[in-house]
Amino acid sequence: MMEIKILSLADINDQIAEEIAALFKQLSPQKKQLPLTEILKDENPISFVYCLIDQHVAGIASICTYQVISGSKGWIEDVVVNEQYRGRGIGKKLIEKILEIGHEKKLKEILLYTEDHREAALNLYQGIGFQAKESKIYYIKNEQF
């Protein structure tokens, strides 16, 4: 049975923490993950959704919400489905849950970034209704300033 849930501090146990860490490694093997207790602090405006199948974490996604002069927005991050569970519609269910959260929060716009070579992700997002923006994303790392 598949369940899509919003992760809370009360949900975190060793198994869930380990399975989320393993998923994050599939997405970004070179990046260090912050502790879930740090991510889920009240002052951090994030909703972290996950998919449980037979009591195992099969996928994760998150949305960070914020307000700027142009309105309330959300940014989707860290969407990944465990390799052994791909092809079952889990990514779509995770994004649908995030869109539901965005609707509840009355967000004006939800944004995300994915790389051009991630064809499955591109197909998923476009199939749900996301459109490419005519823009560039720029960044600067903390050690550069």
Side-chain angles (χ1 to χ4, degrees):
M1 183 173 120
M2 181 189 310
E3 291 179 86
I4 304 296
K5 302 174 80 173
I6 298 174
L7 187 67
S8 70
L9 286 172
D11 296 327
I12 299 172
N13 59 38
D14 289 342
Q15 176 189 335
I16 285 178
E18 288 171 16
E19 290 177 356
I20 288 173
L23 273 171
F24 185 70
K25 284 282 185 216
Q26 286 182 31
L27 179 66
S28 300
Q30 70 285 2
K31 292 183 182 174
K32 184 178 182 226
Q33 177 191 319
L34 291 174
L36 293 173
T37 53
E38 190 75 18
I39 296 165
L40 296 175
K41 283 183 176 178
D42 286 342
E43 62 269 17
N44 191 25
I46 190 171
S47 295
F48 190 104
V49 298
Y50 65 112
C51 175
L52 276 180
I53 295 180
D54 299 325
Q55 301 304 311
H56 292 284
V57 180
I60 58 172
S62 61
I63 183 168
C64 183
T65 57
Y66 57 98
Q67 290 192 14
V68 292
I69 199 164
S70 59
S72 297
K73 297 184 181 190
W75 190 274
I76 296 174
E77 293 275 352
D78 304 326
V79 179
V80 62
V81 174
N82 190 315
E83 292 170 344
Q84 72 185 44
Y85 293 106
R86 290 182 186 162
R88 299 185 191 187
I90 295 168
K92 183 177 181 185
K93 295 282 188 200
L94 290 167
I95 298 300
E96 287 171 346
K97 183 66 173 177
I98 282 180
L99 294 177
E100 183 182 306
I101 292 166
H103 182 73
E104 290 169 5
K105 292 182 180 248
K106 297 179 176 34
L107 300 179
K108 181 178 177 183
E109 185 175 45
I110 296 178
L111 305 128
L112 61 83
Y113 166 80
T114 191
E115 296 168 340
D116 289 337
H117 72 277
R118 295 186 184 267
E119 289 184 31
L122 290 167
N123 290 335
L124 168 65
Y125 302 138
Q126 290 169 354
I128 291 173
F130 283 86
Q131 300 173 20
K133 286 187 100 164
E134 292 295 324
S135 63
K136 298 276 187 205
I137 292 181
Y138 294 88
Y139 73 95
I140 188 167
K141 297 268 184 181
N142 190 26
E143 58 271 2
Q144 292 177 287
F145 56 91

